[in-house]
């Protein structure tokens, strides 16, 4: 799974699932109700992506900055993650999905970490779609962590510092085993990256839509995939060069 997808169907889709709070506010519900409904969208999108032959789906569930939200909202989200893991892992495993969690997992509770590790172990040998869930994840943290590990290895004499190149950095990032996302979807109307996969999104096609995450369904997913299929990915080449590839 090395070459990026050009046109057609994306191999790897990344999603910034935004708009849960506004979905709830529009209905005079607490923000947490929006997160509850967001889980429903997650299930639908995971299933649809697997059906469409997407090889990897990376979902941004909780950012390193989201720790600064009100304590009740953070703890509700963490509880909802726990519940969702308990409810969904068996089914995902039966369907052959491989589950991975990325982010600063050491910041999570031991109970949550254990469930995550168990889910990763259980599904490690599956050959279906890889589902990556980014929790307590920040793109800058990811790059800094890779830099620290490379520095440690250089100091230990395992690698030469002048051999540290782009591929060495990439190999130490959280998504090291996967190709970069072909398509990024951000729901909820904002057009920003919010410290998601800063390195890996270098050449990703960006799709922004106003739909709030709890309202995002299969039709919206297909619109995003269709948008992707119309893009010519040039990777710095001229249109003529890229078309001939
Ligand atoms: C995305 O929805 C979910 C998380 C960040 C955890 P938000 O909670 O950011 O919803 P809005 O952006 O406030 O509507
Ligand atoms: C990005 O959404 C993080 C996740 C979807 C998990 P935010 O709602 O935190 O982003 P900002 O703060 O509006 O940029
Ligand atoms: Mg938001």
């Amino acid at each position: 799974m090395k070459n990026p997808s050009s046109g057609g169907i994306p191999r790897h889709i990344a999603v910034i699932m935004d708009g849960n709070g506004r979905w709830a506010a529009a209905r005079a519900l607490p923000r947490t109700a929006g997160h509850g409904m967001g889980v429903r969208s997650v299930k639908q999108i995971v299933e649809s992506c697997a059906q469409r032959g997407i090889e990897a789906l990376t979902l941004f569930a909780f950012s390193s900055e989201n720790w600064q939200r009100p304590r009740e909202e953070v703890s509700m989200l963490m509880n909802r993650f726990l519940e969702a893991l308990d409810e969904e892992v068996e089914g995902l495993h039966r369907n052959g999905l491989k589950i991975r969690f990325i982010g600063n997992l050491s910041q999570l509770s031991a109970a949550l970490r254990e469930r995550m590790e168990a889910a990763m172990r259980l599904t490690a040998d599956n050959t279906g779609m890889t589902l990556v869930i980014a929790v307590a994840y920040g793109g800058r943290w990811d790059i800094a962590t890779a830099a620290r590990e490379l520095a440690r290895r250089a100091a230990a004499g395992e690698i030469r510092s002048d051999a540290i190149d782009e591929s060495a950095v990439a190999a130490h990032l959280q998504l090291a085993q996967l190709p970069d996302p072909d398509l990024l979807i951000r729901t909820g109307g904002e057009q920003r990256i919010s410290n998601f996969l800063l390195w890996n999104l270098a050449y990703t096609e960006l799709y922004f839509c106003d739909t709030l995450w709890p309202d995002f369904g299969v039709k919206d997913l297909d619109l995003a995939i269709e948008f992707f299929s119309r893009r010519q990915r040039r990777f710095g080449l001229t249109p003529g060069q890229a078309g001939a590839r």
Side-chain angles (χ1 to χ4, degrees):
M1 206 161 140
K2 274 277 165 274
N3 300 324
S5 164
S6 56
I9 196 130
R11 302 179 71 183
H12 184 177
I13 300 181
V15 188
I16 301 177
M17 310 182 288
D18 197 21
N20 292 349
R22 280 164 286 161
W23 183 93
R27 289 160 181 77
L29 294 167
R31 291 178 55 82
T32 49
H35 296 313
M37 288 303 282
V39 175
R40 215 182 52 165
S41 297
V42 171
K43 289 183 199 170
Q44 255 184 38
I45 295 311
V46 169
E47 199 181 304
S48 306
C49 283
Q51 282 167 357
R52 280 157 183 68
I54 306 297
E55 292 171 47
L57 173 67
T58 298
L59 302 177
F60 202 7
F62 191 85
S63 75
S64 44
E65 287 72 28
N66 290 151
W67 286 117
Q68 292 155 48
R69 291 191 176 193
R71 201 146 43 119
E72 314 79 67
E73 181 169 341
V74 172
S75 81
M76 180 275 170
L77 276 165
M78 294 300 151
N79 286 333
R80 200 66 198 81
F81 292 150
L82 258 181
E83 279 171 24
L85 277 172
D86 286 344
E87 290 163 12
E88 302 302 326
V89 168
E90 273 304 323
L92 294 170
H93 178 49
R94 269 199 308 278
N95 286 313
L97 273 77
K98 189 177 189 148
I99 306 175
R100 280 184 55 196
F101 293 93
I102 62 167
N104 192 352
L105 305 186
S106 69
Q107 295 179 324
L108 304 175
S109 73
L112 192 49
R113 236 173 26 235
E114 278 160 26
R115 303 281 220 294
M116 289 174 166
E117 276 154 17
M120 290 195 267
R121 269 198 311 275
L122 177 70
T123 62
D125 296 327
N126 289 348
T127 54
M129 184 176 83
T130 299
L131 172 62
V132 183
I133 303 181
V135 187
Y137 177 87
R140 288 179 175 172
W141 165 85
D142 194 355
I143 295 169
T145 304
R148 189 165 57 245
E149 176 61 10
L150 285 164
R152 188 198 63 72
R153 294 188 58 195
E158 294 168 20
I159 51 169
R160 286 179 29 209
S161 58
D162 59 6
I164 297 176
D165 56 9
E166 291 182 19
S167 68
V169 175
H172 287 79
L173 293 172
Q174 299 280 297
L175 285 186
Q177 281 90 24
L178 293 174
D180 289 340
D182 299 298
L183 170 65
L184 170 80
I185 299 172
R186 182 175 185 141
T187 64
E190 309 299 344
Q191 305 197 356
R192 54 180 174 246
I193 301 296
S194 299
N195 199 17
F196 196 24
L197 303 158
L198 295 179
W199 178 285
N200 312 78
L201 294 177
Y203 255 106
T204 301
E205 302 296 329
L206 308 178
Y207 180 83
F208 299 102
C209 65
D210 291 334
T211 311
L212 304 172
W213 179 248
D215 291 326
F216 190 86
V218 180
K219 282 200 191 108
D220 304 287
L221 173 70
D222 285 336
L223 281 176
I225 294 176
E226 195 194 306
F227 158 88
F228 174 81
S229 69
R230 290 196 305 267
R231 304 265 74 76
Q232 184 194 40
R233 306 191 74 191
R234 292 197 280 274
F235 300 101
L237 305 182
T238 67
Q241 285 178 306
R245 272 165 34 122

